[in-house]
Amino acid sequence: MTDPYTPQIIEPKWQQQWEATKLYRQIIDRNKPKHYALTMLPYPSGDLHIGHWYAMTPSDARARFMRMKGYNVLFPMGFDAFGLPAENAAIARNIHPSKWTFANIERMRQQLRSMGAMFDWEREAVSADPEYYRWTQWFFKKLMELGLAYRKLAAVDFCPRCNTTLAREQVWGEDRHCERCGTPVIKKELEQWFFKTTDYAEELLDFSQINWPERVKVMQTNWIGRSEGAEVIFLTEQGDEIPIFTTRPDTLWGATFMVLAPEHPLVEKVTTPEQKEAVEAYHAAAQKLTDIDREAADREKTGVFTGGYAINPVNGERIPIWVADYVLMGYGFGAIMAVPAHDERDFAFATRFDLPIAEVIRMPGRAESDGPLAKAYTSKSEGQLVNSGPFTGTPTEGAAARVTDWLAETGKGKKAVNYRLRDWLISRQRYWGAPIPVVYCPEHGAVAVPDDQLPILLPEDVAFMPTGESPLKQHELFQQTTCPVCGRDARRETDTMDTFMCSSWYQYRYLSPHYDQGPFDPEEGAYWLPVDQYTGGIEHATMHLIYTRFFTKAMREMGLVHFSEPMLALFNQGMVLGEDGEKMSKSRGNVVAPDNLVEKYGADTVRTYLMFFARWEQGGPWNYDGIKGPQRLIQDVWQLALADYQPGMMDAAATRNLRRKTHQTIRKVTQDLEGFAFNTAVAAIMEQRNAIQEALKQRQVMVEAWREAVDSLLLLLAPIAPHITEELWARRGGRYSIHQQPWPVWDEETAKEEAITVVVQVNGKVRDRFEMAADTGEEGIKAAALASEKVQAWFEGKSPRKVIVVKGQLVNIVV
C-alpha cells in the first residue's frame, strides 16, 4: 500500500521549493530558442474567480509544455491596477483607492501562487505603481512629439446633479440615468485628449504578420470599417460648404435631401427661426442616446427639418436639410446626402416624412411606366443609370468609378477612403489613473512636463465626494505648477488616462520592471520581443487588441522596436458558465469559488478538470460531478507511479501493445498541446492510465516497458498537473525538476498499429467488421469488403454502384 495522496501538503511544499530555487526565473539564454508566452493580466478586484483559472491554467500548461520542448520560456504576470472600481470602493468603504488596490493585489498574488503556475514573479508589473506609470506618462509625451496626441472638444456623459462626468458603466437604463442619484444623464462638451489611431487605420487592416483567429481579424476589420468612395462638396444657400462622403457617387443625381447630425456645427446656421425650437428640442433628445442606439438598424427613424436648403452640385437642384440622430459626427463628416430610391435607411426616412424619391438606377426589367418604387433598389452591379445627366444609360457596374473621375475633373469632388474607426479618446475625469503629464500656460498653452519631473504623482491627501467627482479638480496644490517653458504660473491637467493606455504596453514592462532608463531594457527587448503567444478573451478584440497593435506601431516610429505587431500568435479561450448554463454572477448565486475547490481537491485536480471539461476556445457550464473524473485520474496516477511492479509470465505481445499505446499517447498529447486542445490531451492521458492499470493487473510486460509507460505518463501530465508529477518524479528517483526534463518523443514505428478494424456499410447500415493488417492498401481493404459473405448477402444479386474507403477503416458500399 502506498501512502495517500494529500495535495494540501504536497502542493505548498513544491510551490515553496520552486520559489526557493528560482525554478521559473527566466534569463536570457542565447543557446535556446526563446518563447514569450503571455496571458492577459487581471484587474485586482480582490478575489480570483474561476474565470481567471480557466484563462490562466491552460496558458500555464502550454508555457510549461514549450519549456519542456526546449524553449527558453518567459511567462510573466502583473496587474492592471488603475480603474473606476477602486474609486467606487473608496467612496463606499471610505478607503483610499491605493490602499484598497494594493491590498487586493497581495491577496491575489497568494491565490495566483496556489495555481502552481510558472509565473516569473520577479518580472511582476503593476500599472498603478509610480515606477510603472512614470513610463505611461513618458509614452504620452512621445505620442505628443509624434503628433499622435491632440486635444479637442468631445462629448461626455454628465450628471447635472452630481456635477461629474460618468463612465459608460455608470449610466443605467433605457432612460440613461446616473447610477448614483437617478438623474437623467446629459451630454456635455469638454476639452479632451485623443490619440490618432486613425493614422494607422490602413496598417491595422494588415494581418499578414500575425497568426490570430479569423474571428478577431473579422471583428477588427469591421470595427475599422474601411470604405472606398468619393468626397463631394454641397453648398448651403448661404454658401457654406457641407462635405459628405459617399460610397455611391453614381447615385448623386438621386439625392433629394440632406441629413446633418444634430451636433453638426452648421445646424444652428441653416436652421430658420420658425424651426429653431423644434431643432433644439431634437438636439437635446439626441444627447440622451448612445451612438449604438442611434445607429440601430431596426429603430424607427426620427428627424426634424431645419428650414434650410442645400444645392446638389451635380444638377443644381435645391434640396432640404434635415437633422436626424442616425447620422453621427464621428463617421465621415457628420452629414450625408440622402438617396431614398437606392438606400434602405433613406427610403424609410423619406417614406415617413413624405420626401421626394427620385429613381436614378433602373433595375433590369423595370420600365418608367411601372410607377413608384416599392422599396429601395440597392444593387451596385445590375441595371443602368437614368435621370443622371451625362451618365444616363451607363451600366451600373463600374459607374461609381466613372462618376468619381468626373467629379475630380469638374472640381465637384474627389476619390476618398473613409474609416469607421475613430481616434482613441484617452481622457478620463477620474482620480485613480495615470495623470496626464501636461500643464496649461496662459502664454504657451498645453506644454508637456519635462522627463526629469516624471512621474507626476497622484496626491494621497484627497477627499472623495459621494458624487464621484474627481478630487483632483478640487486639489489646488496638485493643480498649481509652473510652465516648463517660461516659468510662469500654470495649471496642471486634472484628467487621467484611460486604463487601456496602461495595458497597451504592459508586455514590454515585464521585461525589466525596475529599469529606470526607459520603458524597458533594450537588451531584454532584443532577446524576448515580440510576444510569441498571447491568450485571452475575445471580448477584447476591438479595444485592447487594437490599442496594443496601435501602440506597437507608434513605438516603431519612436525607434523603440523594429517590428510592427505586438503578439505574433493569439488564442482566445471561452468562458466558464455556472451550473445553470448562465454567466456567473453573485446575484444568480452560481459563482464557483476556486479557493474552496483547491482546499477540497487540490490545485492539480482543479487544473485538470478545467482543461478537460470543454474545448478551451468554447468553454461551457461548470459541473461539480464532472470534477470526479479528473480527481480519479490524479489519484490513479499516484497509485500507478508508486506501485511495486513485479512482472509475472512475460508476453511479448503485451509489451508491444503497451509500448505502442505509450508512443501513440505521446504523439497525441504533443499534437493536442501544440493546438491548445487540452481536453483531448487529458482524455488521451486517461486512456494511457487505463492501459497502464491493465498492465499492472496482468503483469505480463517487461519492466523497461512499464517504466517507459509510467515515466511518459508523468512527463505528459506535468504541464497540466505540475505538483503531483513533481512529487512522483522525485519519489521515483528522477532528477529535479520534472519541469526541466525534455519532452518525450514518440517513435513512429513503435506507435504504428499492427492491425485495424474495418467496418463495412451497405447502403448506410453496418453489415460486417473484420481485422486486417494495418499496412493494407485501399484496394486490399476494398477487395476484402466485397469478398465478405456477410456483405454479399445484402447485395441481393445486384452489383455495387459505388465502393468508397474512408480513412482506411470504413468501407461504404452503395448497391
Side-chain angles (χ1 to χ4, degrees), residues 746-811:
W746 76 91
D747 177 71
E748 200 64 57
E749 194 62 31
T750 306
K752 186 184 296 184
E753 289 283 0
E754 292 182 358
I756 56 171
T757 300
V758 177
V759 177
V760 186
Q761 291 182 339
V762 179
N763 292 342
K765 293 187 177 180
V766 176
R767 299 305 184 189
D768 196 10
R769 287 184 177 85
F770 51 82
E771 297 287 316
M772 292 198 75
D775 57 358
T776 305
E778 185 173 312
E779 290 303 317
I781 294 173
K782 189 183 296 185
L786 291 172
S788 165
E789 291 182 4
K790 292 181 180 178
V791 170
Q792 289 180 356
W794 292 96
F795 288 177
E796 298 176 348
K798 300 174 184 176
S799 298
R801 188 157 51 87
K802 283 184 181 178
V803 182
I804 304 166
V805 179
V806 182
K807 293 185 178 180
Q809 291 180 279
L810 174 66
V811 181

XYZ file of all heavy atoms in Angstrom, residues 746-811:
509
model
N 7.936 10.537 -29.486
C 7.411 9.250 -29.916
C 8.193 8.696 -31.104
O 8.784 9.454 -31.881
C 5.928 9.351 -30.252
C 5.617 10.021 -31.570
C 5.482 9.419 -32.781
C 5.390 11.423 -31.793
N 5.183 10.340 -33.745
C 5.118 11.582 -33.170
C 5.380 12.556 -30.968
C 4.849 12.821 -33.737
C 5.113 13.784 -31.528
C 4.858 13.917 -32.891
N 8.188 7.375 -31.197
C 8.777 6.692 -32.339
C 7.624 6.244 -33.236
O 6.740 5.497 -32.785
C 9.607 5.493 -31.875
C 10.162 4.714 -33.054
O 11.073 5.233 -33.729
O 9.661 3.595 -33.305
N 7.639 6.692 -34.478
C 6.512 6.427 -35.366
C 6.332 4.931 -35.619
O 5.199 4.431 -35.699
C 6.721 7.164 -36.693
C 5.454 7.369 -37.492
C 4.431 8.268 -36.792
O 4.745 9.424 -36.446
O 3.304 7.768 -36.573
N 7.448 4.210 -35.704
C 7.353 2.773 -35.963
C 6.719 2.058 -34.779
O 5.877 1.171 -34.940
C 8.756 2.217 -36.243
C 8.768 0.826 -36.844
C 8.087 0.750 -38.215
O 8.124 1.747 -38.962
O 7.482 -0.308 -38.495
N 7.124 2.458 -33.562
C 6.564 1.843 -32.363
C 5.089 2.180 -32.208
O 4.297 1.360 -31.725
C 7.336 2.314 -31.111
O 8.728 2.061 -31.300
C 6.852 1.610 -29.862
N 4.695 3.391 -32.639
C 3.304 3.841 -32.491
C 2.377 3.237 -33.530
O 1.156 3.305 -33.388
C 3.246 5.365 -32.570
N 2.946 2.601 -34.556
C 2.136 2.107 -35.660
C 1.282 0.919 -35.210
O 1.755 0.011 -34.536
C 3.036 1.685 -36.819
C 2.273 1.292 -38.088
C 3.221 0.798 -39.165
C 4.163 1.898 -39.624
N 5.026 1.415 -40.753
N 0.003 0.953 -35.630
C -0.895 -0.160 -35.314
C -0.505 -1.390 -36.126
O -0.137 -1.287 -37.298
C -2.340 0.216 -35.640
C -2.952 1.242 -34.710
C -3.357 0.654 -33.364
O -3.159 -0.573 -33.165
O -3.846 1.420 -32.516
N -0.607 -2.593 -35.516
C -0.350 -3.839 -36.245
C -1.575 -4.268 -37.032
O -1.470 -4.870 -38.098
C 0.062 -4.946 -35.274
C 1.417 -4.713 -34.634
C 1.817 -5.846 -33.710
O 1.007 -6.791 -33.560
O 2.919 -5.801 -33.159
N -2.741 -3.978 -36.486
C -3.980 -4.363 -37.143
C -5.010 -3.266 -36.955
O -4.949 -2.484 -36.013
C -4.506 -5.678 -36.574
N -5.931 -3.206 -37.896
C -7.027 -2.248 -37.801
C -8.342 -2.996 -37.946
O -8.405 -4.073 -38.532
C -6.933 -1.165 -38.897
C -6.900 -1.802 -40.290
C -5.753 -0.249 -38.672
C -7.020 -0.803 -41.430
N -9.401 -2.391 -37.402
C -10.747 -2.936 -37.562
C -11.427 -2.200 -38.704
O -11.542 -0.975 -38.676
C -11.567 -2.776 -36.267
O -10.909 -3.460 -35.207
C -12.974 -3.338 -36.450
N -11.849 -2.963 -39.709
C -12.532 -2.377 -40.856
C -14.034 -2.559 -40.673
O -14.505 -3.671 -40.413
C -12.072 -3.039 -42.176
C -12.847 -2.458 -43.364
C -10.574 -2.846 -42.369
N -14.777 -1.481 -40.776
C -16.240 -1.501 -40.672
C -16.803 -1.354 -42.084
O -16.399 -0.460 -42.832
C -16.754 -0.358 -39.775
C -18.287 -0.360 -39.731
C -16.174 -0.487 -38.368
N -17.742 -2.228 -42.451
C -18.330 -2.191 -43.790
C -19.805 -1.837 -43.681
O -20.555 -2.482 -42.932
C -18.164 -3.545 -44.518
C -18.655 -3.429 -45.966
C -16.716 -4.002 -44.488
N -20.216 -0.819 -44.461
C -21.617 -0.413 -44.520
C -22.164 -0.706 -45.918
O -21.479 -0.485 -46.913
C -21.775 1.083 -44.235
C -21.465 1.485 -42.808
C -21.687 2.967 -42.571
O -21.701 3.751 -43.508
N -21.862 3.345 -41.318
N -23.387 -1.190 -45.967
C -24.091 -1.365 -47.236
C -25.332 -0.478 -47.191
O -26.167 -0.625 -46.286
C -24.484 -2.836 -47.480
C -25.249 -2.966 -48.809
C -23.256 -3.730 -47.484
N -25.392 0.453 -48.132
C -26.494 1.427 -48.165
C -26.701 2.108 -46.811
O -27.820 2.295 -46.339
C -27.795 0.768 -48.632
C -27.735 0.358 -50.094
O -26.878 0.840 -50.843
N -28.624 -0.527 -50.507
N -25.560 2.445 -46.161
C -25.602 3.240 -44.935
C -25.772 2.459 -43.659
O -25.772 3.048 -42.574
N -25.868 1.113 -43.720
C -26.028 0.329 -42.493
C -24.856 -0.634 -42.332
O -24.396 -1.245 -43.302
C -27.334 -0.457 -42.522
C -28.567 0.440 -42.470
C -29.841 -0.373 -42.337
C -31.052 0.547 -42.216
N -32.307 -0.231 -42.076
N -24.361 -0.765 -41.083
C -23.211 -1.634 -40.807
C -23.606 -3.092 -41.009
O -24.584 -3.577 -40.416
C -22.683 -1.409 -39.372
C -21.560 -2.390 -39.063
C -22.199 0.026 -39.192
N -22.821 -3.798 -41.858
C -23.131 -5.203 -42.150
C -21.997 -6.153 -41.775
O -22.196 -7.361 -41.712
C -23.464 -5.362 -43.644
C -24.673 -4.551 -44.111
C -25.904 -4.843 -43.286
N -27.090 -4.131 -43.784
C -28.247 -4.079 -43.156
N -28.381 -4.686 -41.977
N -29.266 -3.432 -43.680
N -20.784 -5.639 -41.525
C -19.685 -6.533 -41.141
C -18.552 -5.727 -40.528
O -18.409 -4.522 -40.758
C -19.171 -7.310 -42.357
C -18.325 -8.521 -41.940
O -18.311 -8.857 -40.732
O -17.688 -9.124 -42.822
N -17.742 -6.422 -39.716
C -16.497 -5.894 -39.162
C -15.461 -6.997 -39.227
O -15.772 -8.152 -38.961
C -16.667 -5.472 -37.692
C -17.462 -4.218 -37.457
C -17.450 -3.869 -35.961
N -18.143 -2.632 -35.672
C -19.446 -2.520 -35.469
N -20.213 -3.618 -35.526
N -19.995 -1.352 -35.205
N -14.202 -6.643 -39.550
C -13.141 -7.654 -39.547
C -11.794 -6.963 -39.365
O -11.647 -5.757 -39.584
C -13.151 -8.490 -40.835
C -13.172 -7.683 -42.105
C -11.997 -7.150 -42.634
C -14.364 -7.470 -42.776
C -12.019 -6.420 -43.801
C -14.386 -6.733 -43.956
C -13.209 -6.210 -44.474
N -10.820 -7.738 -38.906
C -9.466 -7.248 -38.672
C -8.623 -7.421 -39.932
O -8.743 -8.421 -40.657
C -8.803 -8.023 -37.525
C -9.487 -7.877 -36.179
C -9.261 -6.520 -35.548
O -8.108 -6.047 -35.590
O -10.237 -5.929 -35.052
N -7.713 -6.434 -40.170
C -6.765 -6.524 -41.279
C -5.436 -5.948 -40.825
O -5.372 -5.158 -39.874
C -7.266 -5.753 -42.506
C -8.479 -6.336 -43.177
S -8.700 -5.705 -44.859
C -7.419 -6.592 -45.723
N -4.382 -6.306 -41.521
C -3.077 -5.723 -41.234
C -3.146 -4.217 -41.436
O -3.772 -3.725 -42.383
C -2.010 -6.332 -42.145
N -2.497 -3.465 -40.544
C -2.599 -2.006 -40.570
C -2.032 -1.399 -41.846
O -2.422 -0.302 -42.241
C -1.889 -1.404 -39.349
N -1.096 -2.087 -42.490
C -0.483 -1.513 -43.682
C -1.179 -1.949 -44.978
O -0.649 -1.739 -46.082
C 1.003 -1.869 -43.749
C 1.235 -3.387 -43.728
O 0.230 -4.134 -43.630
O 2.408 -3.791 -43.795
N -2.383 -2.532 -44.868
C -3.126 -2.937 -46.061
C -3.541 -1.698 -46.852
O -4.060 -0.724 -46.282
C -4.389 -3.738 -45.690
O -4.009 -4.849 -44.871
C -5.109 -4.239 -46.930
N -3.351 -1.715 -48.157
C -3.716 -0.588 -49.000
C -5.207 -0.493 -49.227
O -5.981 -1.407 -48.881
N -5.638 0.603 -49.859
C -7.057 0.856 -50.084
C -7.693 -0.226 -50.951
O -8.813 -0.673 -50.678
C -7.231 2.230 -50.732
C -8.688 2.638 -50.897
C -8.838 4.076 -51.380
O -8.192 4.974 -50.812
O -9.590 4.272 -52.353
N -6.979 -0.669 -51.993
C -7.533 -1.691 -52.881
C -7.712 -3.019 -52.149
O -8.683 -3.744 -52.361
C -6.636 -1.875 -54.110
C -6.664 -0.698 -55.078
C -8.073 -0.394 -55.567
O -8.816 -1.365 -55.883
O -8.442 0.800 -55.617
N -6.768 -3.339 -51.261
C -6.862 -4.570 -50.483
C -8.043 -4.541 -49.538
O -8.752 -5.553 -49.356
N -8.273 -3.386 -48.896
C -9.409 -3.236 -47.987
C -10.710 -3.372 -48.772
O -11.662 -4.043 -48.347
C -9.339 -1.878 -47.255
C -8.120 -1.838 -46.320
C -10.620 -1.606 -46.484
C -7.870 -0.491 -45.682
N -10.768 -2.732 -49.944
C -11.964 -2.770 -50.780
C -12.271 -4.220 -51.208
O -13.422 -4.680 -51.138
C -11.753 -1.881 -52.001
C -13.009 -1.662 -52.834
C -12.714 -0.832 -54.091
C -12.258 0.565 -53.735
N -12.102 1.381 -54.977
N -11.214 -4.954 -51.641
C -11.404 -6.334 -52.084
C -11.898 -7.221 -50.950
O -12.782 -8.075 -51.130
C -10.086 -6.873 -52.654
N -11.348 -7.027 -49.743
C -11.770 -7.830 -48.594
C -13.220 -7.548 -48.230
O -13.977 -8.459 -47.850
C -10.851 -7.546 -47.404
N -13.623 -6.281 -48.341
C -15.003 -5.922 -48.022
C -15.971 -6.576 -48.994
O -17.016 -7.123 -48.606
C -15.158 -4.404 -48.034
N -15.642 -6.550 -50.283
C -16.522 -7.120 -51.303
C -16.571 -8.643 -51.225
O -17.545 -9.272 -51.637
C -16.064 -6.672 -52.698
C -16.255 -5.181 -53.006
C -15.580 -4.822 -54.326
C -17.738 -4.829 -53.056
N -15.502 -9.238 -50.685
C -15.444 -10.700 -50.588
C -16.161 -11.236 -49.361
O -16.389 -12.449 -49.234
C -13.986 -11.160 -50.575
N -16.527 -10.355 -48.441
C -17.180 -10.788 -47.206
C -18.528 -11.426 -47.495
O -19.379 -10.850 -48.184
C -17.365 -9.590 -46.266
O -18.281 -9.888 -45.246
N -18.767 -12.626 -46.951
C -20.042 -13.321 -47.159
C -21.196 -12.542 -46.535
O -22.298 -12.473 -47.078
C -19.975 -14.739 -46.568
C -19.035 -15.673 -47.323
C -19.039 -17.072 -46.740
O -19.833 -17.323 -45.799
O -18.255 -17.920 -47.222
N -20.942 -11.945 -45.351
C -21.988 -11.159 -44.689
C -22.403 -9.968 -45.547
O -23.583 -9.609 -45.619
C -21.504 -10.679 -43.324
C -21.315 -11.775 -42.305
C -20.852 -11.184 -40.971
C -20.652 -12.284 -39.923
N -20.154 -11.715 -38.649
N -21.428 -9.380 -46.194
C -21.710 -8.217 -47.037
C -22.432 -8.646 -48.303
O -23.429 -8.046 -48.727
C -20.392 -7.469 -47.373
C -20.630 -6.410 -48.444
C -19.806 -6.838 -46.118
N -21.951 -9.730 -48.938
C -22.548 -10.179 -50.192
C -24.011 -10.564 -50.020
O -24.818 -10.433 -50.942
C -21.751 -11.358 -50.754
C -20.382 -10.967 -51.294
C -19.620 -12.159 -51.855
O -20.092 -13.302 -51.772
N -18.461 -11.899 -52.434
N -24.361 -11.012 -48.828
C -25.743 -11.410 -48.579
C -26.709 -10.244 -48.747
O -27.905 -10.453 -48.984
C -25.862 -11.985 -47.166
N -26.201 -9.022 -48.625
C -27.062 -7.833 -48.737
C -27.082 -7.251 -50.148
O -27.781 -6.262 -50.391
C -26.619 -6.761 -47.733
C -26.891 -7.184 -46.317
C -26.036 -7.767 -45.448
C -28.130 -7.074 -45.642
N -26.639 -8.053 -44.271
C -27.950 -7.623 -44.346
C -29.401 -6.588 -45.971
C -28.967 -7.688 -43.411
C -30.417 -6.642 -45.042
C -30.199 -7.195 -43.770
N -26.334 -7.869 -51.072
C -26.347 -7.377 -52.456
C -27.623 -7.787 -53.187
O -28.046 -7.123 -54.125
C -25.131 -7.906 -53.237
C -23.819 -7.274 -52.831
C -22.628 -7.695 -53.416
C -23.766 -6.278 -51.870
C -21.423 -7.132 -53.057
C -22.559 -5.710 -51.502
C -21.386 -6.140 -52.081
N -28.205 -8.948 -52.766
C -29.441 -9.454 -53.374
C -29.321 -9.562 -54.891
O -30.215 -9.168 -55.646
C -30.622 -8.559 -53.008
C -30.878 -8.526 -51.511
C -31.991 -7.575 -51.130
O -32.402 -6.769 -52.001
O -32.440 -7.619 -49.975
N -28.168 -10.072 -55.353
C -27.957 -10.309 -56.767
C -27.596 -9.074 -57.566
O -27.371 -9.158 -58.776
N -27.519 -7.905 -56.886
C -27.193 -6.667 -57.601
C -25.707 -6.381 -57.501
O -25.018 -6.871 -56.610
C -27.995 -5.501 -57.021
C -29.508 -5.687 -57.114
C -30.225 -4.570 -56.381
C -31.731 -4.797 -56.377
N -32.443 -3.766 -55.580
N -25.227 -5.532 -58.413
C -23.811 -5.131 -58.400
C -23.655 -3.821 -57.621
O -24.513 -2.934 -57.708
C -23.300 -4.940 -59.829
O -23.387 -6.150 -60.547
N -22.559 -3.690 -56.869
C -22.306 -2.421 -56.166
C -22.138 -1.268 -57.166
O -21.456 -1.417 -58.176
C -20.996 -2.689 -55.419
C -20.885 -4.169 -55.356
C -21.539 -4.694 -56.584
N -22.806 -0.142 -56.875
C -22.689 1.032 -57.743
C -21.488 1.898 -57.341
O -20.813 2.475 -58.168
C -23.979 1.860 -57.657
C -24.063 2.992 -58.649
C -25.518 3.390 -58.902
N -26.272 3.632 -57.679
C -26.318 4.820 -57.047
N -25.644 5.842 -57.522
N -27.034 4.959 -55.957
N -21.223 1.968 -56.023
C -20.084 2.731 -55.512
C -19.452 1.978 -54.358
O -20.165 1.392 -53.529
C -20.506 4.125 -55.005
C -20.761 5.147 -56.086
C -21.069 6.495 -55.430
C -21.367 7.553 -56.485
N -21.702 8.845 -55.850
N -18.120 2.020 -54.281
C -17.393 1.477 -53.134
C -16.398 2.545 -52.691
O -15.483 2.890 -53.441
C -16.658 0.163 -53.475
C -15.956 -0.373 -52.227
C -17.614 -0.868 -54.040
N -16.600 3.079 -51.504
C -15.782 4.201 -51.020
C -15.091 3.782 -49.731
O -15.744 3.341 -48.777
C -16.640 5.455 -50.758
C -17.409 5.846 -52.036
C -15.773 6.615 -50.285
C -18.518 6.835 -51.790
N -13.754 3.933 -49.694
C -12.973 3.641 -48.493
C -12.682 4.970 -47.792
O -12.107 5.885 -48.387
C -11.663 2.909 -48.833
C -10.870 2.641 -47.556
C -11.963 1.602 -49.566
N -13.104 5.090 -46.542
C -12.941 6.322 -45.773
C -11.890 6.102 -44.693
O -12.056 5.252 -43.811
C -14.277 6.758 -45.122
C -14.092 8.074 -44.369
C -15.366 6.875 -46.175
N -10.784 6.889 -44.763
C -9.708 6.848 -43.764
C -9.174 5.440 -43.521
O -8.683 5.131 -42.436
C -10.177 7.460 -42.440
C -10.445 8.947 -42.519
C -10.795 9.516 -41.154
C -11.017 11.021 -41.244
N -11.367 11.613 -39.936
N -9.303 4.548 -44.500
C -8.712 3.223 -44.392
C -9.372 2.288 -43.409
O -8.923 1.164 -43.214
N -10.451 2.715 -42.755
C -11.074 1.859 -41.746
C -12.579 1.739 -41.906
O -13.219 1.003 -41.167
C -10.758 2.390 -40.340
C -9.302 2.227 -39.956
C -9.041 2.762 -38.559
O -8.874 3.950 -38.365
N -9.011 1.876 -37.593
N -13.159 2.438 -42.859
C -14.594 2.370 -43.102
C -14.813 2.212 -44.601
O -14.256 2.954 -45.406
C -15.293 3.641 -42.607
C -16.788 3.767 -42.938
C -17.582 2.694 -42.212
C -17.298 5.162 -42.557
N -15.634 1.220 -44.980
C -15.962 0.997 -46.379
C -17.460 1.221 -46.555
O -18.274 0.569 -45.886
C -15.582 -0.425 -46.836
C -15.918 -0.608 -48.320
C -14.105 -0.693 -46.589
